[in-house]
Amino acid sequence: MYLLTAIRRNERMRRLGKTLERSAKAWCFRLLSRRGGNARAAGPETLKGVQRVLLVRPNFRIGNAVIGARFIQALTESRADIEIDYLGADTTRALFEGMPLARYHALSRSMPLRPWRLLQLLMRLRRRDYDLAIQVGEGSLTSWLCTRLCGARRTLGQRGRLEASYDWVGDVSRGHAYEWGSALAASLGLAWEPRPWMVISARERAAAASLAGAGDSTSPVGIFVGGHLDKRFPFSFWQALLGELERRRQPYLVLLGPEEEAGRARLEQACGFHGRVVPAVSLRCCAALLANLSRLITPDTGPMHMAVALGVPVVALLNVDGSRKFTPRGPEDRVLFRPAPARVAELVSPGARRERSHDAVKALPCRPSAPMDAEVGLT
């Protein structure tokens, strides 16, 4: 594991980094907001004569990436004549495969340590000769810098402390995360569907079907064990949940993020006949797996937003109030705040009292169950 990756995944270092980041950004925003200007309110005329657009959101979070991708779909459906490029993060690039993009430009966390690579990226952007650069999503200092330095003839951002630095400015929703772009899209004359967006091919879905156990009489539910800082649940909760699913004979798959690999053995020991822990897979394979599930149980995480984008019903488990504005809102989605494992299992096992055939999960070899922790502490 690279040193920077190890530091980034250390919980104490991440909390310290968040604190320092907020302080540095606040100082920079105060300094930059002193610059005056006359930005015009965005409207349908903003896209008049535009042939090439750069959408800017170099965010390394999976959820933010698939939420921001909705703007690609909105722009494509309304203005098929516009050529669209996207400036995003290198770690989330795979999420944009199959989308109607001319080019994807990737920003890396290592670029500040390798300034020549950042300079090369900016030169590639400027050679594309954009008519308009649009800052996609909530304002960030990195997005602002890339929007300013990409060489576009006109720039579009959101109202706020830096609005005077753009040529055009638009409103964004301060409510639910899925609504953030609705006001901006409406001002540009674009239709906006308030949910994330992903594209998974039929070939990818079929390739993951056997691993997911799809096609059986009872498709498995997925359980993503992960989360960022306070959003995560303890392993004892997941062990107890697996025990409850086993008792109800509910087929399930456990998916892990890179930071949860250390707890794989504990979860494998908790699996019984009806489920198993999926080996580490690529981001695209993970998305294809999600597309084959009957439902996903997950905290507020990137895979939660991927599942919403793919139309998979979600049981969202919240551990902090701040997650409420990111929760799915589909008719089959459910949101639970610090639930007991038995409540979650009951919700995803409507036929728990009905005998199920073991053939439904014969493709899911598992290890025998291990004793569950007696107390979870999250009820």
Side-chain angles (χ1 to χ4, degrees):
M1 183 184 297
Y2 292 108
L3 177 61
L4 290 178
T5 301
I7 294 174
R8 192 168 63 249
R9 292 180 180 174
N10 181 275
E11 185 169 331
R12 291 184 179 178
M13 294 302 296
R14 290 167 74 174
R15 293 182 186 278
L16 175 61
K18 284 288 184 181
T19 301
L20 295 176
E21 181 184 20
R22 283 193 292 267
S23 299
K25 284 185 176 180
W27 182 84
C28 290
F29 277 125
R30 284 196 298 269
L31 180 64
L32 295 171
S33 62
R34 297 175 183 175
R35 175 176 174 174
N38 296 305
R40 292 171 286 177
E45 68 277 8
T46 303
L47 298 178
K48 185 177 180 180
V50 172
Q51 297 180 330
R52 183 174 293 163
V53 166
L54 175 67
L55 303 180
V56 181
R57 193 171 196 185
N59 194 288
F60 295 90
R61 303 295 293 274
I62 292 175
N64 289 335
V66 293
I67 293 173
R70 174 60 64 181
F71 212 93
I72 301 172
Q73 183 258 355
L75 191 57
T76 300
E77 288 194 352
S78 299
R79 288 292 305 272
D81 58 308
I82 293 181
E83 185 177 355
I84 306 172
D85 284 11
Y86 197 96
L87 174 59
D90 56 349
T91 55
T92 56
R93 182 172 193 157
L95 298 171
F96 293 83
E97 292 180 15
M99 295 184 182
L101 293 174
R103 296 190 184 183
Y104 184 96
H105 303 279
L107 185 74
S108 171
R109 281 193 176 99
S110 66
M111 282 184 175
L113 302 177
R114 299 177 175 87
W116 61 91
R117 294 183 58 188
L118 180 59
L119 180 61
Q120 290 173 344
L121 172 62
L122 294 175
M123 291 176 63
R124 287 196 300 272
L125 293 174
R126 298 181 75 88
R127 283 197 294 267
R128 291 289 287 163
D129 195 24
Y130 296 108
D131 298 305
L132 179 66
I134 303 176
Q135 180 176 298
V136 180
E138 297 177 339
S140 74
L141 188 58
T142 302
S143 295
W144 179 84
L145 285 171
C146 292
T147 303
R148 295 289 299 171
L149 298 176
C150 70
R153 294 185 181 86
R154 293 286 186 270
T155 59
L156 169 60
Q158 66 182 52
R159 295 194 182 278
R161 289 170 291 185
L162 301 179
E163 65 179 68
S165 63
Y166 300 104
D167 297 298
W168 301 90
V169 65
D171 295 317
V172 296
S173 171
R174 303 297 179 183
H176 195 278
Y178 294 173
E179 297 282 357
W180 71 262
S182 58
L184 178 58
S187 66
L188 294 174
L190 309 177
W192 178 269
E193 186 177 356
R195 67 186 183 95
W197 191 53
M198 274 197 74
V199 178
I200 295 293
S201 68
R203 182 177 180 179
E204 288 175 307
R205 188 187 295 260
S210 60
L211 183 58
D216 296 321
S217 58
T218 304
S219 295
V221 300
I223 304 169
F224 183 77
V225 180
H228 182 67
L229 297 177
D230 295 335
K231 297 178 182 180
R232 66 172 65 242
F233 283 68
F235 270 99
S236 57
F237 173 89
W238 301 113
Q239 289 174 307
L241 176 58
L242 299 189
E244 293 289 344
L245 293 175
E246 286 292 331
R247 189 168 65 84
R248 289 169 170 80
R249 300 182 179 180
Q250 169 63 52
Y252 61 89
L253 297 177
V254 181
L255 295 85
L256 305 178
E259 299 172 35
E260 290 72 47
E261 278 293 326
R264 169 183 290 276
R266 294 169 62 187
L267 292 170
E268 288 179 335
Q269 290 173 358
C271 280
F273 182 85
H274 296 278
R276 69 182 173 96
V277 180
V278 178
V281 295
S282 68
L283 199 54
R284 294 296 299 183
C285 185
C286 178
L289 273 172
L290 294 176
N292 281 286
L293 298 174
S294 62
R295 189 174 289 272
L296 177 67
I297 303 169
T298 175
D300 176 11
T301 63
M304 178 184 77
H305 300 295
M306 292 166 64
V308 174
L310 297 168
V312 177
V314 170
V315 177
L317 311 181
L318 307 189
N319 201 31
V320 294
D321 286 323
S323 292
R324 295 187 188 277
K325 73 173 185 176
F326 296 98
T327 55
R329 303 181 299 176
E332 296 185 69
D333 297 324
R334 298 293 181 268
V335 179
L336 303 176
F337 190 79
R338 297 182 180 176
R343 171 60 179 144
V344 180
E346 178 184 15
L347 192 61
V348 301
S349 305
R353 296 179 178 85
R354 184 176 69 250
E355 290 292 325
R356 290 192 175 114
S357 169
H358 286 188
D359 292 337
V361 290
K362 62 185 180 182
L364 305 179
C366 303
R367 301 186 180 189
S369 296
M372 297 283 94
D373 289 350
E375 184 65 35
V376 176
L378 286 171
T379 56

